[in-house]
Amino acid sequence: MIEKSAIMSQTNARIEHDLLGDLAVPADAYYGVQTARALVNFHISGVELRLYPDLIKALAMVKMAAARANADCEALDRKVLAGIEAACQELIDGKLHHEFRLDVLQGGAGTSTNMNANEVIANRALELMGHRKGEYTFCDPHDHVNLSQSTNDAYPTALHLGIALGNVRLVAAMNALIDAFRSKGREFGDVVKMGRTQLQDAVPMTLGQEFEAFAETLAGEVRTLEVIQRVLSEINMGGTAIGTGLNAPAGYGEQCARHLAAITGLPIYLAPDLIEATQDTQAYVLYSSCMKSMAIKLSKVCNDLRLLSSGPRCGLREINLPAKQPGSSIMPGKVNPVIPEVVNMVCFRVIGGDLTVTMAAEAGQLQLNVFEPVIAACIFEAQTMFVNAARTLREHCVEGITANRDVCAHYVDYSIGTVTALNPIIGYDRSTALAAEAMRTGRGILDLIREQHVLTEAQIAAVLDPVAMTGRKQPV
């Protein structure tokens, strides 16, 4: 953390000026006076902007597009444009991200973040143009980098783009996890087991079908994330402070959208009503809701993995999760399902973050929502955790899962759930009587059917074959 006294005591410093007066800024810093003040003011979460590279890259993309649009409108000198473009490209390439040390939680509706980008880009552009940091006559954070913009259009546009960039990585990570579940589905395709409803025996299925269902439930969430990318492509550039376009030249917004589409490769389009778009946060609400839905699904899958692997002697024990570490400081030999557990925790955090996004979106007033920084913090944190969680679950758990085939077969042999297949043949009441007797005596359904001559052996083979009951076709 940088305290005000530490900044002011720098001997190797440059003096910059803003509304509140002069302030010493470290001479080697690419950020400027407004970022320096924000570094003093906001020590809240301990999470710095630099930890979310997609946001920094998106800010650079917005500034590059804005500079090109200003040049198109003959509002920006081409030499300054070249410097800004080169500086922005460095940020897009991952350079200078250490200069973004502001806390993600900050007052001011993102102004400090916007100025952090403006100052870093201006000072790097100055160097590339042959000048020194702070010689803003040649390239100014406000008059050149922030030209024709307000935080209120540049910042939310960057959030949309940053979330879209992160969404690409999230979709890729989830698809890799889905592929791992599908691979296990194929591997376990011949393992017949009992399905369960309400934690009670139901009817037979295969372990492969169970894992295929895990894959498909997550795939449905990924498809939704891919659709929401279109919503994130709407921007309000050119609206400036409240959407009226004050200080922006004619045609600037349209040119900015065109350049952003070229830079990002996304189907960027300008909102039809910039006043409405400047105050609207619904894209964040929709995207956060999609992540919440995925968190619910992923957490349920992890719950099932923990339940199916419970034991090793007194649980279901149908599958084995890879042993990753000793599970107890007092119980020798205990190994816990730590990977699904940590993914559960990620899902809980994402669900909680969605509530924060909801409250922040609702709290907007009139022409601006000042709470976009906390919305951004929740969404970027969720994306980061999800990407890491998907990789961790895939590499350290799913890919190493094995089946306990004998255990699965044992449950099928001794379950009364197979009696369900008799309903169409002997009726519900007689099937219930058989099930009740099996429960009372502890005997198997097949033993009772044979003893009571309920079915012939041919009928038993046709009706009560566990493989047939799974709906899986027999190999030819």
Side-chain angles (χ1 to χ4, degrees), residues 196-202:
R196 298 177 180 85
T197 57
Q198 296 168 275
L199 297 181
Q200 306 299 305
D201 297 353

Side-chain angles (χ1 to χ4, degrees), residues 40-60:
V40 173
N41 291 335
F42 304 120
H43 297 304
I44 307 298
S45 69
V47 178
E48 299 179 355
L49 294 175
R50 62 183 176 83
L51 297 179
Y52 299 128
D54 290 327
L55 175 56
I56 298 173
K57 292 177 182 179
L59 284 163

Side-chain angles (χ1 to χ4, degrees), residues 122-407:
N123 280 305
R124 181 55 184 151
L126 285 170
E127 287 186 334
L128 294 170
M129 295 163 65
H131 304 288
R132 292 179 296 176
K133 297 184 187 72
E135 292 186 330
Y136 296 136
T137 301
F138 304 101
C139 183
D140 186 84
H142 287 282
D143 295 337
H144 298 114
V145 183
N146 201 63
L147 182 62
S148 306
Q149 302 157 63
S150 164
T151 293
N152 303 344
D153 60 356
Y155 181 71
T157 295
L159 293 189
H160 278 220
L161 297 183
I163 293 169
L165 293 174
N167 191 52
V168 172
R169 294 187 300 106
L170 175 54
V171 166
M174 291 304 300
N175 278 333
L177 175 60
I178 291 165
D179 288 344
F181 275 117
R182 292 203 192 282
S183 177
K184 286 297 169 180
R186 292 187 295 271
E187 180 183 339
F188 301 149
D190 63 338
V191 181
V192 180
K193 57 159 285 177
M194 286 303 298
R196 298 177 180 85
T197 57
Q198 296 168 275
L199 297 181
Q200 306 299 305
D201 297 353
V203 296
M205 65 185 303
T206 69
L207 190 59
Q209 289 172 322
E210 195 160 32
F211 273 73
E212 275 289 344
F214 292 155
E216 186 55 36
T217 197
L218 297 177
E221 300 305 305
V222 169
R223 288 192 289 269
T224 304
L225 288 177
E226 291 172 332
V227 171
I228 207 73
Q229 194 89 330
R230 168 71 180 173
V231 178
L232 296 171
S233 296
E234 181 181 282
I235 66 169
N236 68 325
M237 289 299 287
T240 66
I242 64 170
T244 60
L246 180 66
N247 293 347
Y252 162 80
E254 291 77 9
Q255 293 282 34
C256 203
R258 180 175 66 84
H259 285 298
L260 263 179
I263 293 167
T264 63
L266 297 172
I268 302 296
Y269 63 98
L270 208 58
D273 186 328
L274 294 182
I275 291 178
E276 188 279 335
T278 301
Q279 60 192 270
D280 182 52
T281 55
Q282 200 64 14
Y284 311 127
V285 174
L286 291 172
Y287 187 80
S288 181
S289 295
C290 289
M291 288 200 295
K292 179 184 75 171
S293 181
M294 187 166 69
I296 293 169
K297 294 283 191 73
L298 184 58
S299 191
K300 189 270 183 189
V301 168
C302 287
N303 292 341
D304 287 353
L305 292 178
R306 291 190 294 115
L307 190 57
L308 292 172
S309 65
S310 59
R313 297 290 177 85
C314 302
L316 295 184
R317 201 166 61 91
E318 291 186 348
I319 62 173
N320 305 302
L321 305 186
K324 304 308 295 185
Q325 61 188 55
S328 175
S329 60
I330 188 174
M331 292 174 278
K334 193 169 189 290
V335 177
N336 295 328
V338 293
I339 302 302
E341 286 173 354
V342 75
V343 176
N344 279 131
M345 287 185 245
V346 167
C347 294
F348 303 157
R349 183 66 176 259
V350 171
I351 293 168
D354 177 70
L355 177 58
T356 300
V357 171
T358 300
M359 295 178 68
E362 181 277 333
Q365 298 164 326
L366 303 177
Q367 279 68 61
L368 183 67
N369 188 309
V370 302
F371 302 114
E372 285 183 328
V374 73
I375 291 174
C378 289
I379 291 178
F380 285 121
E381 178 192 62
Q383 285 183 329
T384 300
M385 290 193 299
F386 261 153
V387 169
N388 293 335
R391 174 188 50 78
T392 299
L393 184 61
R394 174 176 57 83
E395 293 181 354
H396 296 290
C397 182
V398 176
E399 292 177 346
I401 291 175
T402 57
N404 287 322
R405 294 170 178 265
D406 292 343
V407 172

Side-chain angles (χ1 to χ4, degrees), residues 454-470:
V454 175
L455 299 177
T456 67
E457 288 299 325
Q459 288 175 314
I460 289 173
V463 177
L464 292 183
D465 176 49
V467 175
M469 280 189 275
T470 68

